[in-house]
Each structure stands twice: as structure tokens, then as C-alpha cells.
Coordinates of all heavy atoms in Angstrom, one line a residue:
M103 N 38.9 37.8 -73.3 CA 39.7 37.0 -74.0 C 40.4 37.8 -75.1 O 39.9 38.6 -75.8 CB 38.8 35.9 -74.8 CG 39.5 35.1 -75.7 SD 38.7 33.7 -76.6 CE 37.0 33.9 -76.4
L104 N 41.7 37.6 -75.1 CA 42.6 38.3 -76.1 C 42.7 37.5 -77.3 O 42.6 36.3 -77.4 CB 43.9 38.4 -75.5 CG 44.1 39.3 -74.3 CD1 45.5 39.3 -73.7 CD2 43.6 40.7 -74.5
G105 N 42.8 38.1 -78.6 CA 42.9 37.4 -79.7 C 43.7 38.4 -80.8 O 44.0 39.5 -80.5
K106 N 44.0 37.7 -81.9 CA 44.7 38.4 -82.9 C 44.2 37.8 -84.3 O 44.0 36.7 -84.5 CB 46.1 38.1 -82.7 CG 47.1 38.5 -83.8 CD 48.5 38.3 -83.4 CE 49.2 37.6 -84.4 NZ 50.7 37.4 -84.2
I107 N 44.0 38.7 -85.3 CA 43.8 38.3 -86.7 C 44.9 38.5 -87.3 O 45.6 39.6 -87.5 CB 42.6 39.1 -87.2 CG1 41.3 38.9 -86.4 CG2 42.4 38.8 -88.7 CD1 40.1 39.7 -86.9
E108 N 45.4 37.6 -88.3 CA 46.7 37.6 -88.9 C 46.4 37.1 -90.3 O 45.8 36.0 -90.5 CB 47.7 36.8 -88.2 CG 49.1 37.1 -88.8 CD 50.1 36.2 -87.9 OE1 50.3 36.6 -86.7 OE2 50.8 35.4 -88.5
L109 N 46.9 37.8 -91.3 CA 46.8 37.3 -92.7 C 48.1 36.7 -93.0 O 49.2 36.8 -92.3 CB 46.6 38.5 -93.6 CG 45.4 39.4 -93.4 CD1 45.3 40.6 -94.3 CD2 44.1 38.5 -93.5
E110 N 48.1 35.8 -94.1 CA 49.3 35.0 -94.4 C 50.4 36.0 -94.8 O 51.5 35.7 -94.6 CB 49.0 34.1 -95.5 CG 47.9 32.9 -95.3 CD 47.6 32.1 -96.4 OE1 48.3 32.2 -97.3 OE2 46.7 31.4 -96.2
V111 N 50.1 37.0 -95.5 CA 51.3 38.0 -95.9 C 51.8 38.9 -95.0 O 53.0 39.2 -95.0 CB 50.7 38.8 -97.1 CG1 50.6 38.0 -98.4 CG2 49.4 39.4 -96.8
D112 N 51.0 39.3 -94.0 CA 51.6 40.3 -93.0 C 51.4 39.7 -91.5 O 50.4 39.7 -90.9 CB 50.7 41.5 -93.0 CG 51.3 42.6 -93.9 OD1 52.4 42.5 -94.1 OD2 50.6 43.6 -94.3
A113 N 52.6 39.2 -91.1 CA 52.6 38.7 -89.6 C 52.8 39.9 -88.7 O 53.8 40.7 -88.9 CB 53.6 37.8 -89.5
I114 N 51.9 40.1 -87.8 CA 52.1 41.3 -86.8 C 52.4 40.7 -85.4 O 52.0 39.5 -85.1 CB 50.9 42.1 -86.8 CG1 49.7 41.4 -86.4 CG2 50.7 42.9 -88.2 CD1 48.4 42.2 -86.3
E115 N 53.0 41.4 -84.6 CA 53.4 41.0 -83.3 C 52.2 41.1 -82.3 O 51.4 42.1 -82.5 CB 54.5 42.0 -82.7 CG 55.1 41.6 -81.4 CD 56.2 42.4 -80.9 OE1 57.0 42.8 -81.7 OE2 56.3 42.6 -79.7
F116 N 52.1 40.2 -81.5 CA 50.8 40.2 -80.6 C 51.1 41.2 -79.5 O 52.1 41.3 -78.9 CB 50.8 38.8 -80.0 CG 49.5 38.6 -79.0 CD1 48.3 38.7 -79.6 CD2 49.7 38.5 -77.7 CE1 47.2 38.5 -78.7 CE2 48.6 38.4 -76.9 CZ 47.4 38.4 -77.4
F117 N 50.1 42.0 -79.2 CA 50.1 43.0 -78.1 C 49.1 42.6 -77.0 O 48.0 42.4 -77.2 CB 49.7 44.4 -78.7 CG 49.4 45.4 -77.6 CD1 50.6 46.0 -76.9 CD2 48.1 45.9 -77.2 CE1 50.4 46.9 -76.0 CE2 48.1 46.8 -76.2 CZ 49.2 47.4 -75.6
D118 N 49.7 42.5 -75.9 CA 49.0 42.0 -74.6 C 48.8 43.3 -73.7 O 49.7 43.7 -73.1 CB 49.7 40.9 -73.8 CG 48.8 40.4 -72.7 OD1 47.8 40.9 -72.5 OD2 49.4 39.5 -72.0
P119 N 47.6 43.9 -73.7 CA 47.4 45.1 -72.9 C 47.5 44.8 -71.4 O 47.6 45.8 -70.6 CB 46.0 45.5 -73.2 CG 45.3 44.4 -73.9 CD 46.4 43.5 -74.5
D120 N 47.4 43.6 -71.0 CA 47.5 43.2 -69.6 C 48.9 43.4 -69.0 O 49.1 43.4 -67.9 CB 47.0 41.8 -69.3 CG 45.6 41.7 -69.6 OD1 44.9 42.6 -69.5 OD2 45.2 40.5 -69.9
K121 N 49.9 43.5 -69.9 CA 51.3 43.7 -69.5 C 51.8 45.1 -69.5 O 52.9 45.4 -69.3 CB 52.2 42.8 -70.4 CG 51.9 41.3 -70.2 CD 52.8 40.5 -71.0 CE 52.5 39.0 -70.8 NZ 53.3 38.1 -71.5
V122 N 50.9 46.1 -69.8 CA 51.3 47.5 -69.9 C 50.3 48.2 -69.0 O 49.2 48.0 -68.9 CB 51.0 48.0 -71.4 CG1 51.3 49.5 -71.4 CG2 51.8 47.2 -72.3
N123 N 50.8 49.2 -68.3 CA 50.1 50.1 -67.3 C 49.4 51.2 -68.2 O 50.0 52.2 -68.6 CB 51.0 50.7 -66.3 CG 50.2 51.5 -65.3 OD1 48.9 51.6 -65.4 ND2 50.8 52.0 -64.3
L124 N 48.2 50.9 -68.6 CA 47.5 51.8 -69.5 C 47.1 53.1 -68.8 O 47.0 54.1 -69.4 CB 46.2 51.2 -70.1 CG 46.5 50.0 -71.0 CD1 45.2 49.3 -71.4 CD2 47.4 50.3 -72.1
F125 N 46.9 53.1 -67.5 CA 46.6 54.3 -66.7 C 47.7 55.3 -66.9 O 47.5 56.5 -67.0 CB 46.3 54.0 -65.2 CG 45.2 53.3 -64.9 CD1 45.2 52.3 -63.9 CD2 44.0 53.6 -65.5 CE1 44.0 51.7 -63.5 CE2 42.8 52.8 -65.3 CZ 42.8 51.9 -64.2
E126 N 48.9 54.8 -66.9 CA 50.1 55.8 -66.9 C 50.0 56.4 -68.3 O 50.5 57.6 -68.4 CB 51.4 54.8 -66.9 CG 52.6 55.5 -66.5 CD 53.7 54.6 -66.3 OE1 54.1 54.0 -67.2 OE2 54.0 54.3 -65.0
K127 N 49.6 55.8 -69.4 CA 49.4 56.5 -70.6 C 48.4 57.5 -70.8 O 48.6 58.4 -71.6 CB 49.3 55.4 -71.8 CG 50.5 54.4 -71.8 CD 50.4 53.4 -72.9 CE 51.4 52.5 -73.0 NZ 52.6 53.0 -73.7
V128 N 47.3 57.4 -70.1 CA 46.2 58.2 -70.4 C 46.0 59.3 -69.2 O 45.2 60.2 -69.4 CB 44.8 57.4 -70.6 CG1 44.9 56.6 -71.8 CG2 44.5 56.7 -69.3
S129 N 46.7 59.2 -68.2 CA 46.6 60.0 -67.0 C 47.4 61.2 -67.2 O 48.5 61.2 -67.8 CB 47.0 59.2 -65.8 OG 46.7 59.9 -64.7
P130 N 47.1 62.4 -66.7 CA 47.9 63.6 -66.7 C 49.2 63.4 -65.9 O 49.3 62.6 -65.0 CB 47.2 64.8 -66.1 CG 46.1 64.0 -65.2 CD 45.9 62.8 -65.9
G131 N 50.2 64.1 -66.2 CA 51.6 64.0 -65.7 C 51.7 64.6 -64.1 O 52.4 64.2 -63.4
S132 N 50.8 65.7 -64.0 CA 50.9 66.2 -62.6 C 49.4 66.8 -62.3 O 48.5 66.8 -63.1 CB 51.8 67.5 -62.6 OG 51.5 68.4 -63.5
L133 N 49.3 67.4 -61.1 CA 47.9 67.9 -60.6 C 47.7 69.2 -61.4 O 48.5 70.1 -61.6 CB 48.0 68.2 -59.2 CG 46.8 68.7 -58.4 CD1 45.7 67.5 -58.5 CD2 47.1 69.2 -57.0
E134 N 46.4 69.3 -61.9 CA 45.9 70.4 -62.6 C 44.6 70.9 -62.0 O 43.9 70.1 -61.6 CB 45.6 70.1 -64.1 CG 46.7 69.5 -64.9 CD 46.2 68.8 -66.3 OE1 45.0 69.1 -66.6 OE2 47.1 68.5 -67.0
T135 N 44.5 72.2 -61.7 CA 43.4 72.8 -61.1 C 42.6 73.6 -62.2 O 43.2 74.5 -62.8 CB 43.7 73.6 -59.9 OG1 44.5 72.8 -59.0 CG2 42.5 74.2 -59.2
I136 N 41.3 73.4 -62.2 CA 40.4 74.1 -63.2 C 39.2 74.5 -62.5 O 38.5 73.7 -61.7 CB 40.0 73.1 -64.3 CG1 41.3 72.5 -65.0 CG2 39.2 73.9 -65.3 CD1 41.0 71.3 -65.7
G137 N 38.8 75.9 -62.5 CA 37.5 76.2 -62.0 C 37.7 76.9 -60.6 O 38.8 76.8 -60.0
E138 N 36.5 77.2 -60.1 CA 36.5 77.7 -58.7 C 35.2 77.1 -58.0 O 34.2 76.8 -58.6 CB 36.4 79.3 -58.7 CG 37.6 79.9 -59.2 CD 37.7 81.4 -59.2 OE1 36.7 82.0 -58.5 OE2 38.5 82.0 -59.8
G139 N 35.3 77.1 -56.7 CA 34.2 76.6 -55.9 C 34.6 75.4 -55.1 O 35.7 75.3 -54.7
K140 N 33.6 74.6 -54.6 CA 33.9 73.4 -53.8 C 34.8 72.5 -54.8 O 34.6 72.4 -55.9 CB 32.6 72.6 -53.6 CG 31.7 73.3 -52.6 CD 31.8 72.7 -51.2 CE 30.8 73.4 -50.3 NZ 31.0 73.1 -48.9
S141 N 35.9 71.9 -54.1 CA 36.8 71.2 -54.9 C 36.5 69.7 -54.9 O 36.2 69.0 -54.0 CB 38.3 71.4 -54.4 OG 38.4 70.9 -53.2
I142 N 36.8 69.2 -56.1 CA 36.6 67.7 -56.4 C 37.9 67.2 -56.8 O 38.6 67.8 -57.8 CB 35.5 67.4 -57.5 CG1 34.2 67.9 -57.1 CG2 35.6 65.9 -57.9 CD1 33.0 67.7 -58.1
L143 N 38.5 66.3 -56.2 CA 39.7 65.6 -56.5 C 39.4 64.5 -57.6 O 38.7 63.6 -57.3 CB 40.5 65.0 -55.4 CG 41.8 64.3 -55.7 CD1 42.9 65.3 -56.4 CD2 42.4 63.8 -54.4
L144 N 39.7 64.7 -58.8 CA 39.4 63.8 -59.9 C 40.6 63.0 -60.3 O 41.7 63.5 -60.7 CB 38.9 64.6 -61.2 CG 38.9 63.7 -62.5 CD1 37.8 62.6 -62.4 CD2 38.6 64.7 -63.6
Y145 N 40.6 61.7 -59.9 CA 41.7 60.8 -60.3 C 41.3 60.4 -61.8 O 40.5 59.6 -62.1 CB 41.8 59.5 -59.5 CG 42.5 59.7 -58.2 CD1 41.7 60.1 -57.0 CD2 43.8 59.5 -58.1 CE1 42.5 60.2 -55.8 CE2 44.5 59.7 -56.9 CZ 43.8 60.0 -55.8 OH 44.5 60.3 -54.6
D146 N 42.2 61.0 -62.7 CA 42.0 60.9 -64.0 C 42.6 59.6 -64.6 O 43.8 59.5 -64.8 CB 42.5 62.1 -64.8 CG 42.2 62.2 -66.3 OD1 41.8 61.1 -66.8 OD2 42.4 63.2 -66.9
C147 N 41.8 58.7 -65.0 CA 42.3 57.4 -65.5 C 41.9 57.3 -66.9 O 41.4 56.1 -67.5 CB 41.9 56.1 -64.6 SG 42.4 56.3 -63.0
G148 N 41.8 58.3 -67.6 CA 41.3 58.3 -69.0 C 39.9 59.1 -69.1 O 39.1 58.8 -69.9
C149 N 39.7 60.0 -68.2 CA 38.4 60.8 -68.2 C 38.3 61.6 -69.4 O 39.2 62.3 -69.9 CB 38.4 61.7 -66.9 SG 37.0 62.7 -66.7
K150 N 37.0 61.7 -69.8 CA 36.7 62.6 -71.0 C 36.7 64.0 -70.6 O 36.3 64.3 -69.5 CB 35.3 62.1 -71.5 CG 35.4 60.8 -72.2 CD 34.0 60.4 -72.8 CE 34.1 59.1 -73.4 NZ 32.9 58.7 -74.1
E151 N 37.1 64.9 -71.5 CA 37.1 66.4 -71.2 C 35.8 66.9 -70.9 O 35.7 67.8 -70.1 CB 37.8 67.0 -72.4 CG 39.3 66.9 -72.6 CD 40.1 67.6 -71.6 OE1 39.7 68.6 -71.1 OE2 41.1 66.9 -71.3
N152 N 34.8 66.3 -71.5 CA 33.4 66.9 -71.3 C 32.9 66.7 -69.9 O 32.2 67.6 -69.4 CB 32.4 66.3 -72.2 CG 31.1 67.0 -72.3 OD1 31.1 68.2 -72.2 ND2 30.0 66.3 -72.3
I153 N 33.4 65.7 -69.1 CA 33.1 65.5 -67.7 C 33.7 66.6 -66.9 O 33.0 67.3 -66.1 CB 33.6 64.2 -67.2 CG1 32.8 63.0 -68.0 CG2 33.4 64.0 -65.7 CD1 33.3 61.6 -67.7
V154 N 35.0 67.0 -67.1 CA 35.5 68.0 -66.5 C 34.9 69.4 -66.8 O 34.5 70.2 -65.9 CB 37.0 68.2 -66.8 CG1 37.8 69.4 -66.2 CG2 37.8 66.9 -66.4
R155 N 34.5 69.7 -68.0 CA 33.9 70.9 -68.4 C 32.6 71.0 -67.7 O 32.1 72.0 -67.3 CB 33.7 71.0 -69.9 CG 34.9 71.3 -70.7 CD 34.7 71.7 -72.1 NE 34.0 70.6 -72.9 CZ 34.6 69.6 -73.6 NH1 35.9 69.7 -73.8 NH2 33.9 68.7 -74.3
N156 N 31.8 70.0 -67.6 CA 30.6 69.9 -67.1 C 30.6 70.2 -65.6 O 29.8 70.9 -65.0 CB 29.9 68.4 -67.2 CG 28.5 68.6 -67.7 OD1 27.7 69.4 -67.4 ND2 28.2 67.6 -68.6
L157 N 31.6 69.6 -64.8 CA 31.7 69.9 -63.4 C 32.2 71.4 -63.2 O 31.5 72.0 -62.2 CB 32.8 69.0 -62.9 CG 32.5 67.5 -62.6 CD1 33.7 66.7 -62.4 CD2 31.4 67.3 -61.8
V158 N 33.0 71.9 -64.0 CA 33.4 73.4 -63.8 C 32.3 74.3 -64.2 O 32.0 75.2 -63.5 CB 34.6 73.7 -64.8 CG1 34.9 75.1 -64.9 CG2 35.8 72.9 -64.3
R159 N 31.4 74.0 -65.2 CA 30.2 74.8 -65.5 C 29.2 74.8 -64.4 O 28.5 75.7 -64.2 CB 29.7 74.2 -66.9 CG 28.5 75.0 -67.3 CD 28.0 74.6 -68.8 NE 27.7 73.2 -68.7 CZ 28.0 72.4 -69.8 NH1 28.6 72.9 -70.8 NH2 27.7 71.1 -69.7
R160 N 29.2 73.7 -63.6 CA 28.2 73.5 -62.5 C 28.8 74.2 -61.2 O 28.2 74.1 -60.1 CB 28.0 72.2 -62.2 CG 27.1 71.5 -63.4 CD 27.0 70.0 -63.2 NE 26.4 69.5 -64.4 CZ 25.2 69.0 -64.5 NH1 24.4 69.2 -63.6 NH2 24.8 68.6 -65.7
G161 N 30.0 74.9 -61.2 CA 30.4 75.6 -60.1 C 31.5 75.0 -59.3 O 31.7 75.4 -58.1
F162 N 32.1 73.8 -59.7 CA 33.1 73.2 -59.0 C 34.5 73.5 -59.4 O 34.7 73.8 -60.6 CB 32.8 71.6 -59.1 CG 31.6 71.2 -58.5 CD1 30.5 70.9 -59.3 CD2 31.5 71.0 -57.1 CE1 29.4 70.4 -58.7 CE2 30.4 70.6 -56.5 CZ 29.2 70.3 -57.3
K163 N 35.5 73.4 -58.5 CA 36.8 73.4 -58.8 C 37.3 71.9 -59.0 O 37.2 71.2 -58.1 CB 37.6 74.1 -57.7 CG 39.2 74.1 -58.0 CD 40.0 74.5 -56.8 CE 39.6 75.6 -55.9 NZ 40.6 75.9 -54.8
V164 N 37.8 71.6 -60.1 CA 38.3 70.3 -60.4 C 39.8 70.2 -60.3 O 40.5 71.0 -60.9 CB 37.9 69.8 -61.8 CG1 38.3 68.3 -62.0 CG2 36.3 69.8 -61.9
K165 N 40.2 69.4 -59.4 CA 41.6 69.1 -59.2 C 41.9 67.8 -59.9 O 41.6 66.8 -59.4 CB 42.1 69.0 -57.8 CG 42.0 70.4 -57.1 CD 42.4 70.4 -55.6 CE 42.3 71.7 -55.0 NZ 42.8 71.6 -53.6
R166 N 42.5 67.9 -61.1 CA 42.6 66.7 -61.9 C 44.1 66.1 -61.6 O 45.1 66.7 -61.8 CB 42.6 67.2 -63.4 CG 42.5 66.1 -64.4 CD 42.3 66.7 -65.8 NE 41.8 65.8 -66.7 CZ 41.3 66.0 -67.8 NH1 41.4 67.3 -68.3 NH2 40.9 65.1 -68.6
A167 N 44.0 64.8 -61.2 CA 45.2 64.3 -60.6 C 45.5 63.0 -61.4 O 44.7 62.3 -61.9 CB 45.0 63.8 -59.1
P168 N 46.8 62.7 -61.5 CA 47.3 61.4 -62.1 C 46.8 60.2 -61.4 O 46.5 60.3 -60.1 CB 48.8 61.4 -62.1 CG 49.2 62.5 -61.3 CD 48.0 63.5 -61.0
W169 N 46.8 59.0 -61.9 CA 46.3 57.8 -61.3 C 47.1 57.5 -60.0 O 46.4 56.8 -59.1 CB 46.4 56.7 -62.3 CG 47.8 56.3 -62.6 CD1 48.7 56.9 -63.5 CD2 48.6 55.3 -62.0 NE1 49.9 56.4 -63.5 CE2 49.9 55.3 -62.6 CE3 48.4 54.3 -61.1 CZ2 50.9 54.4 -62.3 CZ3 49.5 53.4 -60.6 CH2 50.6 53.5 -61.4
N170 N 48.3 57.8 -59.8 CA 49.1 57.5 -58.6 C 49.3 58.6 -57.6 O 50.3 58.6 -56.9 CB 50.4 56.8 -59.1 CG 51.2 57.9 -59.9 OD1 50.7 58.9 -60.3 ND2 52.4 57.5 -60.1
F171 N 48.4 59.6 -57.7 CA 48.6 60.9 -57.0 C 48.3 60.5 -55.4 O 47.4 59.8 -55.1 CB 47.6 62.0 -57.4 CG 47.7 63.2 -56.6 CD1 48.8 64.1 -56.9 CD2 46.7 63.6 -55.7 CE1 48.8 65.3 -56.3 CE2 46.8 64.8 -55.1 CZ 47.9 65.7 -55.3
D172 N 49.2 61.1 -54.5 CA 49.0 61.0 -53.0 C 48.0 62.1 -52.6 O 48.2 63.2 -52.5 CB 50.3 61.2 -52.3 CG 50.2 61.0 -50.9 OD1 49.0 60.6 -50.4 OD2 51.2 61.3 -50.2
F173 N 46.7 61.6 -52.2 CA 45.8 62.5 -51.9 C 46.1 63.3 -50.6 O 45.3 64.4 -50.3 CB 44.4 61.8 -51.7 CG 44.3 60.8 -50.6 CD1 43.9 61.1 -49.3 CD2 44.6 59.5 -50.9 CE1 43.9 60.2 -48.3 CE2 44.5 58.5 -49.9 CZ 44.2 58.9 -48.7
Y174 N 47.0 63.0 -49.8 CA 47.4 63.8 -48.7 C 48.1 65.1 -49.0 O 48.3 66.0 -48.3 CB 48.3 63.0 -47.7 CG 47.7 62.0 -47.0 CD1 48.0 60.6 -47.2 CD2 46.7 62.3 -46.1 CE1 47.3 59.6 -46.6 CE2 46.0 61.2 -45.3 CZ 46.4 59.9 -45.7 OH 45.8 58.9 -44.9
Q175 N 48.4 65.3 -50.3 CA 49.1 66.5 -50.8 C 48.2 67.7 -51.0 O 48.6 68.8 -51.4 CB 49.9 66.2 -52.1 CG 51.0 65.1 -51.9 CD 51.7 64.9 -53.1 OE1 51.6 65.5 -54.1 NE2 52.6 63.9 -53.1
T176 N 46.9 67.5 -51.0 CA 45.9 68.6 -51.3 C 44.7 68.5 -50.5 O 44.4 67.4 -50.0 CB 45.6 68.6 -52.9 OG1 44.9 69.8 -53.2 CG2 44.9 67.3 -53.3
E177 N 43.9 69.6 -50.5 CA 42.7 69.5 -49.7 C 41.5 69.4 -50.8 O 41.7 70.0 -51.9 CB 42.4 70.8 -48.9 CG 43.4 70.8 -47.7 CD 43.1 72.0 -46.8 OE1 42.0 72.6 -46.9 OE2 44.0 72.3 -46.0
F178 N 40.4 68.7 -50.5 CA 39.3 68.6 -51.4 C 38.1 68.3 -50.6 O 38.1 67.9 -49.4 CB 39.7 67.4 -52.4 CG 40.1 66.1 -51.7 CD1 39.1 65.1 -51.4 CD2 41.4 65.8 -51.5 CE1 39.5 64.0 -50.8 CE2 41.8 64.7 -50.9 CZ 40.8 63.8 -50.5
D179 N 36.9 68.3 -51.3 CA 35.7 68.2 -50.7 C 35.0 66.8 -51.0 O 34.2 66.3 -50.4 CB 34.7 69.4 -51.0 CG 35.2 70.6 -50.5 OD1 35.4 70.8 -49.2 OD2 35.3 71.6 -51.3
A180 N 35.5 66.4 -52.3 CA 35.0 65.0 -52.7 C 35.9 64.4 -53.7 O 36.9 65.1 -54.1 CB 33.6 65.4 -53.6
V181 N 35.8 63.2 -53.9 CA 36.8 62.4 -54.7 C 35.9 61.7 -55.8 O 34.8 61.2 -55.6 CB 37.6 61.4 -53.9 CG1 38.4 60.5 -54.9 CG2 38.3 62.0 -52.9
L182 N 36.5 61.8 -57.1 CA 35.9 61.2 -58.2 C 37.0 60.4 -58.9 O 38.1 60.8 -59.2 CB 35.3 62.2 -59.1 CG 34.7 61.7 -60.5 CD1 33.5 60.8 -60.2 CD2 34.3 63.0 -61.3
F183 N 36.7 59.0 -59.1 CA 37.6 58.2 -60.0 C 37.0 58.0 -61.3 O 35.8 57.5 -61.5 CB 37.7 56.9 -59.3 CG 38.7 56.8 -58.0 CD1 37.9 57.2 -56.8 CD2 40.0 56.7 -58.0 CE1 38.7 57.2 -55.6 CE2 40.7 56.8 -57.0 CZ 39.9 56.9 -55.6
R184 N 37.6 58.5 -62.4 CA 37.1 58.4 -63.6 C 38.1 58.1 -64.7 O 39.1 58.8 -64.9 CB 36.3 59.6 -64.0 CG 35.4 59.6 -65.1 CD 34.2 58.8 -64.8 NE 33.4 58.7 -66.1 CZ 32.8 57.6 -66.5 NH1 32.7 56.6 -65.8 NH2 32.2 57.6 -67.6

């Protein structure tokens, strides 16, 4: 349920997050490759940096892709949506 708190002195415009593509704002602009080893295609929809660091530390190559990336453009061993 969306809502808004408004005081009498300061009227603010209502923001509806359902009308904005939030994935577009938090996703990287292009494909980024980090690390070496078996590759994981990570569809980054606001993924925390620590998740990527953890995967790289465990010996994986992380291919960090934007939310609308065409997976036919690269080879990978696993897919992760985060």
C-alpha cells in the first residue's frame, strides 16, 4: 500500500515507484567481468557488492549484466538473478 505523510506547511509531490523502472536505475550500464574460473552470469537488479566479492573469493568469474541483457551474447556456466 502506497502512502504519503504531509504536513500543513510543506506540501510534497506524491512519488509512485510503480510508475518508474527501478531496475534501470540500480543495474550496471553494460556487462562487467570480474575474477577467473567457472563463470556465473549475474543479472544485477540491485545486487550488493559483497555478494560479488564473495563469489570471486570462492573462485568464480562473475559476469555482471544489466537487467535487460541478452544472455545469448556470452557464455556462462550458471545464472544468478539478484
Side-chain angles (χ1 to χ4, degrees):
M103 176 178 11
L104 298 174
K106 170 177 127 172
I107 297 175
E108 188 174 301
L109 303 174
E110 291 178 16
V111 283
D112 265 341
I114 57 172
E115 188 175 325
F116 181 72
F117 173 71
D118 186 359
D120 293 336
K121 295 184 179 180
V122 178
N123 184 356
L124 297 176
F125 289 143
E126 203 170 71
K127 294 183 182 275
V128 298
S129 190
S132 61
L133 185 68
E134 303 169 359
T135 303
I136 307 158
E138 295 182 13
K140 295 258 186 191
S141 66
I142 297 175
L143 179 61
L144 168 65
Y145 278 93
D146 187 347
C147 301
C149 181
K150 294 184 178 184
E151 289 289 328
N152 195 40
I153 293 172
V154 176
R155 284 193 302 262
N156 232 321
L157 290 169
V158 170
R159 187 174 50 223
R160 293 169 191 256
F162 293 102
K163 179 193 319 185
V164 177
K165 295 182 177 184
R166 196 173 195 173
W169 66 279
N170 58 352
F171 183 73
D172 180 12
F173 62 89
Y174 288 115
Q175 295 178 8
T176 188
E177 292 185 16
F178 52 89
D179 298 305
V181 178
L182 176 62
F183 290 88
R184 194 74 183 143

